[in-house]
Amino acid sequence: MEITNVSEYEAIAKQKLPKMVFDYYASGAEDQWTLQENRNAFSRILFRPRILIDVSKIDMATTVLGFKISMPIMIAPTAMQKMAHPEGEYATARAASSAGTIMTLSSWATSSVEEVASTGPGIRFFQLYVYKNRNVVAQLVRRAERAGFKAIALTVDTPRLGRREADIKNRFTLPPFLTLKNFEGLDLGKMDKADDSGLASYVAGQIDRTLSWQDVKWLQTITKLPILVKGVLTAEDASLAVQAGADGIIVSNHGARQLDYVPATIQALEEVVKAAQGRVPVFLDGGVRRGTDVFKALALGASGIFIGRPVVFSLAAEGEAGVRKVLQMLREEFELTMALSGCRSLKEITRNHIVTDWDLPQARPLPRL
């Protein structure tokens, strides 16, 4: 059966993958309310398309932190991709490069920064978790720099791991034939079996709960790479990120895997964009499955979006070809959305091209006579 949209890969991945692995990729925290909401909130944004505009030529190209990419659709960091497919992060890196876009490599990748760099040219960012042992962090950042990575995406929403009940039920752990490759030489590459989630125990043991804005400043002292703060959901924190010297903000709720009952990222986006006041670019991840979603995010002020689960699901289904197809489908859908909305370039996409249900005054029931 021909795959015609990004969401269809999830069912194929579910068939192919061991339950523990699929559940790890697919699930969210606790009641998974935010997991549903990340998708549902997009359906509460409608288009105000403009007609009779010459859309014979459409330009989707943009720059991110000065790097030119073919479209504002990038790859978010997702951990342990070799659980999905033997080629794991190698396949994802090649797919991103061939699509002319950015891949973000997870700290918890099953391929190292050096291995991913060896796949050939490409613009790559490195997602960073701050470990209690700061020497480990400094070493990792240096390795990413040496391997030609262009930015650090600092994850700031994970002082502790969210309660992911599927992982607890499945006693999730990294399969024995895999390691967290970036930490292999540091004796931090393996994850022990635990009475709950092996990853939750690993995080509790290794990740620094004292992480604060001071550490964003510290990171700037050990690297010249631009720093994106990933995991901002409020105007207050957007302002603090700018004050701390962040080079960009990623509006993210960690794929709804951390605190449940936070808003969908698409709903939090505009608040963050307004607080940033154009001083730094703001990006979005969470729930993007269609080109229409990409357009909606840009109309609300995002400079680009990142996709996570569609990458691991398509990787599980078809390897590198699957990831290429996801990027291609999103690109084609986004181009079509632009054309049908009367936009020829990204700068022509405005807030006036959409209406959200949170724009509308809340309808009050009529008083009874």
Side-chain angles (χ1 to χ4, degrees):
M1 188 191 76
E2 191 189 352
I3 288 172
T4 53
N5 67 66
V6 165
S7 297
E8 287 173 346
Y9 277 114
E10 182 166 355
I12 299 169
K14 188 170 189 176
Q15 283 174 335
K16 282 198 155 186
L17 292 172
K19 180 173 163 49
M20 180 187 79
V21 172
F22 176 79
D23 287 353
Y24 170 73
Y25 290 144
S27 64
E30 296 187 355
D31 298 331
Q32 304 191 115
W33 182 85
T34 298
L35 185 67
Q36 304 302 314
E37 184 68 2
N38 268 356
R39 282 296 308 128
N40 293 342
F42 278 105
S43 67
R44 302 198 298 270
I45 303 172
L46 303 181
F47 292 119
R48 301 182 68 248
R50 301 302 306 276
I51 53 164
L52 293 175
I53 292 167
D54 174 356
V55 290
S56 57
K57 288 192 183 65
I58 301 247
D59 180 15
M60 289 177 283
T62 188
T63 59
V64 169
L65 302 179
F67 299 100
K68 199 163 170 32
I69 56 174
S70 68
M71 58 182 175
I73 301 165
M74 297 165 283
I75 292 183
T78 50
M80 312 176 216
Q81 292 180 11
K82 284 188 180 175
M83 294 195 306
H85 187 275
E87 290 182 9
E89 294 85 1
Y90 288 75
T92 302
R94 291 191 296 260
S97 184
S98 76
T101 194
I102 292 164
M103 173 199 183
T104 315
L105 183 70
S106 170
S107 275
W108 295 336
T110 38
S111 315
S112 68
V113 287
E114 294 83 3
E115 288 171 333
V116 169
S118 78
T119 61
I123 305 157
R124 303 187 184 104
F125 294 172
F126 181 69
Q127 176 271 334
L128 182 67
Y129 282 117
V130 176
Y131 278 58
K132 290 175 182 171
N133 181 341
R134 292 308 166 88
N135 292 331
V136 165
V137 179
Q139 212 176 320
L140 198 51
V141 169
R142 271 198 298 277
R143 283 171 56 198
E145 282 181 334
R146 273 205 301 274
F149 283 68
K150 301 298 188 214
I152 301 291
L154 175 67
T155 296
V156 295
D157 58 11
T158 312
R160 299 171 58 171
L161 203 71
R163 182 177 172 82
R164 306 167 189 178
E165 292 175 6
D167 292 347
I168 297 170
K169 282 189 169 69
N170 294 331
R171 302 275 187 269
F172 173 80
T173 192
L174 187 61
F177 55 91
L178 295 174
T179 59
L180 301 179
K181 264 291 199 284
N182 288 314
F183 300 99
E184 205 172 32
L186 302 161
D187 289 337
L188 295 170
K190 280 290 180 200
M191 200 177 290
D192 299 325
K193 268 277 188 213
D195 288 340
D196 52 3
S197 153
L199 184 62
S201 301
Y202 180 85
V203 168
Q206 302 300 337
I207 301 303
D208 193 346
R209 296 184 186 184
T210 73
L211 193 68
S212 73
W213 290 108
Q214 287 309 111
D215 298 293
V216 179
K217 295 257 199 255
W218 169 74
L219 199 53
Q220 290 164 342
T221 68
I222 66 162
T223 183
K224 291 284 169 280
L225 293 180
I227 296 164
L228 298 169
V229 176
K230 178 177 182 285
V232 173
L233 290 171
T234 62
E236 295 90 330
D237 283 336
S239 300
L240 290 171
V242 174
Q243 281 168 35
D247 298 282
I249 291 169
I250 303 174
V251 175
S252 173
N253 52 34
H254 210 114
R257 295 157 74 79
Q258 283 300 99
L259 180 61
D260 201 13
Y261 298 98
V262 295
T265 48
I266 193 68
Q267 190 154 359
L269 174 62
E270 198 165 24
E271 169 180 332
V272 172
V273 166
K274 283 177 175 162
Q277 296 177 336
R279 293 172 291 180
V280 299
V282 176
F283 305 95
L284 171 133
D285 80 21
V288 174
R289 300 293 179 272
R290 285 277 189 193
T292 49
D293 300 334
V294 180
F295 186 101
K296 289 170 183 180
L298 268 61
L300 286 166
S303 293
I305 65 91
F306 291 87
I307 51 167
R309 287 186 182 89
V311 172
V312 286
F313 292 151
S314 60
L315 190 60
E318 293 174 354
E320 181 185 338
V323 182
R324 282 180 185 236
K325 179 139 194 210
V326 158
L327 291 167
Q328 186 59 28
M329 285 190 293
L330 285 173
R331 180 188 175 87
E332 287 172 4
E333 288 179 14
F334 177 52
E335 184 178 27
L336 182 59
T337 306
M338 284 179 69
L340 296 179
S341 297
C343 298
R344 294 161 293 199
S345 67
L346 303 190
K347 67 175 188 299
E348 290 189 353
I349 301 174
T350 70
R351 186 63 169 80
N352 290 331
H353 285 97
I354 57 162
V355 61
T356 72
D357 75 345
W358 50 93
D359 287 335
L360 305 168
Q362 294 301 305
R364 290 197 186 85
L366 292 170
R368 293 168 81 159
L369 297 172

